[in-house]
Every structure is written in structure tokens, then in C-alpha cells.
Amino acid sequence: MKILHLDTNHSLLINQLNALGCTNHEDYTSSKQDIQNKIAEYDGFIIRSRFSIDKTFLDAATNLKFIGRVGAGLENIDCDYAKSKGIHLISAPEGNRNAVGEHTLAMLLSLFNKLNKADREVRDGKWLREENRGIELDGKTVGLIGYGNMGKAFAKKLRGFEVDVLCYDLQPNVGDANAEQVPLEILFSEADVLSLHTPETATTINMVNEAFINQFAKPFWFINTARGKSVVTKDLVSALKNGKILGAGLDVLEYEKSSFENLFKKDNASNSVEMPEAFQHLIQAENVLLSPHVAGWTIESNTKLAQTIVDKIKQEFKL
């Protein structure tokens, strides 16, 4: 098979595909239109998140047998249309689920123990013990929305704590020894912590809004290592301000795709930064922890993601 690689990945991906007899071409710089003009030459292509794969692009890919996405989600691909054309979709959530589970736990424990705040203060010469008194995870109820690869990985990490873990998922019978599957209403009434592990779909975009937040019976802690567009940031900030949300760990933001870096650029005329008010609050709040969409981005997951793609191509096409 002739495969086009559109993003850089771990070298084992190309090396092992070469060993399986595939012809591998790399193009990490051409425009989407230029790629589209030559995509008919290829049996498959492998991408991370360089650009969206729409109907026009897929129509041009007349010989395409598969799309490999080195990551968990497929929201940048018109999946229904691809499947209608007999194109096999390959993703690799198994490759970074452990990394996401660890990062989610790290965010939660850091928030509970005010580690970032305490670290900054000590560096500034402040030794404030009472102000940095933390809380313990034991005894809490942790609610997970989405119980696929990522949700299950986080629940597995919670086994060492004396916590109740509840999960809600659209798929039936996904609960296991690590999490009890419950209706959403039960999760709303019981959860002290909410962690999102959902893909980006029409159902999940803007899911966490004011109405959603207000259905929780208790003030709660919020972790999002899933997709930024699932959260209405201004509603999250309002809940942080009024105490409905006690703190938030956000590895993803709704601003990512609109060029996050531009939020910090000054306007030459006014010398001011055009930053959304809600985001200004997030970067200043002591009970908010932010990371740049790296929950699944570890040294180990870099290898695992690539290996998962190779293994799935090998299995699907009997190479």
C-alpha cells in the first residue's frame, strides 16, 4: 500500500510500515489543496490534527482505503461520509489512555492540595501554611461523563483511593468494577467531582453550560481533559465566581482552534490584548489549573500511539 504521512509522528510508524512492505511518503508542509490534488495516488493517509477531512477532500481520494488518526478523536473527519465510501477509520485511543488517566488524577490532586499556588508563594518568599490547607480525595464521589478508553483509565487510577466512582455514558452496560454506571440524574445528585471523558460530537458541544452546571446538587470540582468545545467558558467562570464550581483543571479550552497564541497578542493601535473576559479570569484564578492539551502527550504515549496505528493497519489489511 502507498501511504501519505501528513504530520510528524514517532519514527517507528514509518519504519514498521516500511518493513511490512508499504510505500511511505511524507508531506508536512503543503497546503490542504495541494494535498487534495494528489491524494488519489494513495491507499491511505495518516494525520493528527493538521486540517479537517471533508467531503470534497474525500471525493478527491478515489483510491483511499483508510485514514489513520494518531490520537483518540475523529471529529476532524467527516466519518459518516468516509464510511459511506468504504474508507476504514483508524484511531488510537488505546495509545494515550493511560497518560490521560494519570494527567487527570494529577490535576485533581494538585487542585485539592493547592500545589501550584503554594509553589508560587514559596518561590516568592511566602510561607503560608493555613492558607494552603488542602482537602483529601478519600470520601468523595467522583463522577465521570464518558466511560470509554479515557474514562476507564482514570477510574482505574482512582482504585487506590477510598472514593465512590460513578459513570454516565450513552452506551449501555459499560460500568465495571472501577465505576458504577448510573443515570445522569444520580451523578448530578451525588458527585463531588466531575471529570469529562467525551468525544466532540453534536451532543457534547456546549454541553457544560449554565443549565447543566446548576443541576448538580452540591458544589463540585471540575476536570476537563476531553474537548474544549464541550464547555461554555463564560458559564464555567460564572460558576467559579459564585462557588457552584469549587475549582477547575482544564487541559483543553474552547479557544484552541481559534489560535490560542493570538489571545495574548497586543493590538498595535491600542496596545491592548483582545482577550475574552472569561479567559482572563481563568488565567488569574488561583483555583484553576491549566495545561496546553497535553494530557495524552507523554514520552510513552508518543510510542504507544504510533504502535497502535501500525498494529491496526496490519490487522485490518492482513499485512
Side-chain angles (χ1 to χ4, degrees):
M1 288 197 300
K2 192 174 179 180
I3 301 172
L4 179 61
H5 297 257
L6 297 175
D7 289 294
T8 57
N9 289 293
H10 195 284
S11 59
L12 76 80
L13 184 54
I14 290 178
N15 291 341
Q16 290 192 22
L17 289 173
N18 280 333
L20 291 170
C22 300
T23 299
N24 292 277
H25 292 173
E26 300 165 75
D27 189 335
Y28 307 138
T29 58
S30 295
S31 68
K32 180 180 178 181
Q33 185 61 54
D34 286 343
I35 299 294
Q36 186 172 304
N37 290 341
K38 66 178 181 181
I39 197 62
E41 302 173 23
Y42 294 94
D43 299 295
F45 68 86
I46 295 174
I47 193 169
R48 285 204 313 266
S49 302
R50 183 169 161 191
F51 49 70
S52 62
I53 308 301
D54 52 24
K55 290 183 179 179
T56 302
F57 189 93
L58 292 168
D59 282 339
T62 51
N63 291 307
L64 201 64
K65 297 179 178 64
F66 78 89
I67 301 170
R69 201 259 157 162
V70 186
L74 294 169
E75 63 267 20
N76 286 336
I77 301 170
D78 189 330
C79 295
D80 291 338
Y81 193 62
K83 291 174 183 176
S84 75
K85 297 174 74 69
I87 298 169
H88 187 64
L89 301 178
I90 299 171
S91 62
E94 302 90 345
N96 63 355
R97 59 190 175 189
N98 182 73
V100 171
E102 290 190 6
H103 192 98
T104 307
L105 180 59
M107 282 192 134
L108 182 57
L109 293 177
S110 183
L111 285 169
F112 273 25
N113 293 283
K114 304 181 182 179
L115 293 183
N116 279 46
K117 172 180 177 292
D119 175 78
R120 287 193 301 269
E121 291 172 353
V122 171
R123 293 173 190 270
D124 289 338
K126 300 175 183 176
W127 195 260
L128 305 175
R129 298 185 69 220
E130 186 58 39
E131 292 85 346
N132 288 301
R133 190 184 290 273
I135 64 172
E136 297 178 16
L137 182 53
D138 277 20
K140 305 295 189 293
T141 297
V142 180
L144 314 179
I145 294 185
Y147 203 61
N149 281 282
M150 308 307 167
K152 288 179 185 293
F154 180 42
K156 184 178 179 181
K157 302 303 175 190
L158 291 169
R159 288 194 305 199
F161 297 88
E162 295 294 332
V163 294
D164 291 324
V165 182
L166 307 177
C167 68
Y168 171 78
D169 195 284
L170 294 177
Q171 298 298 319
N173 304 316
V174 297
D176 55 23
N178 298 326
E180 178 189 357
Q181 187 170 8
V182 298
L184 198 53
E185 293 75 18
I186 299 298
L187 192 145
F188 284 144
S189 67
E190 299 295 331
D192 300 294
V193 175
L194 171 65
S195 185
L196 288 191
H197 300 279
T198 48
E200 184 177 303
T201 66
T203 303
T204 63
I205 290 176
N206 295 333
M207 176 179 70
V208 181
N209 55 24
E210 181 181 13
F212 178 93
I213 292 167
N214 287 337
Q215 290 185 76
F216 282 80
K218 298 181 283 186
F220 65 97
W221 300 81
F222 178 64
I223 309 290
N224 186 11
T225 54
R227 290 292 182 262
K229 289 183 180 180
S230 294
V231 179
V232 179
T233 308
K234 64 180 181 62
D235 292 353
L236 168 65
V237 167
S238 294
L240 285 165
K241 288 179 177 179
N242 66 31
K244 184 67 177 181
I245 293 180
L246 300 170
L250 308 173
D251 180 56
V252 289
L253 297 165
E254 68 169 292
Y255 312 110
E256 289 178 61
K257 296 301 181 183
S258 58
S259 185
F260 171 80
E261 291 82 0
N262 289 338
L263 298 176
F264 293 85
K265 291 182 179 178
K266 290 186 177 181
D267 180 84
N268 291 330
S270 63
N271 199 36
S272 61
V273 176
E274 291 296 324
M275 184 181 292
E277 184 178 345
F279 185 60
Q280 290 184 46
H281 179 85
L282 292 181
I283 63 175
Q284 295 166 1
E286 291 184 334
N287 62 340
V288 173
L289 187 60
L290 303 168
S291 58
H293 202 153
V294 292
W297 202 258
T298 62
I299 300 298
E300 293 84 355
S301 72
N302 190 29
T303 303
K304 292 177 187 176
L305 286 165
Q307 189 64 60
T308 300
I309 294 295
V310 172
D311 292 345
K312 289 186 176 181
I313 292 173
K314 183 178 178 180
Q315 180 179 13
E316 177 65 24
F317 299 102
K318 308 296 188 291
L319 299 179

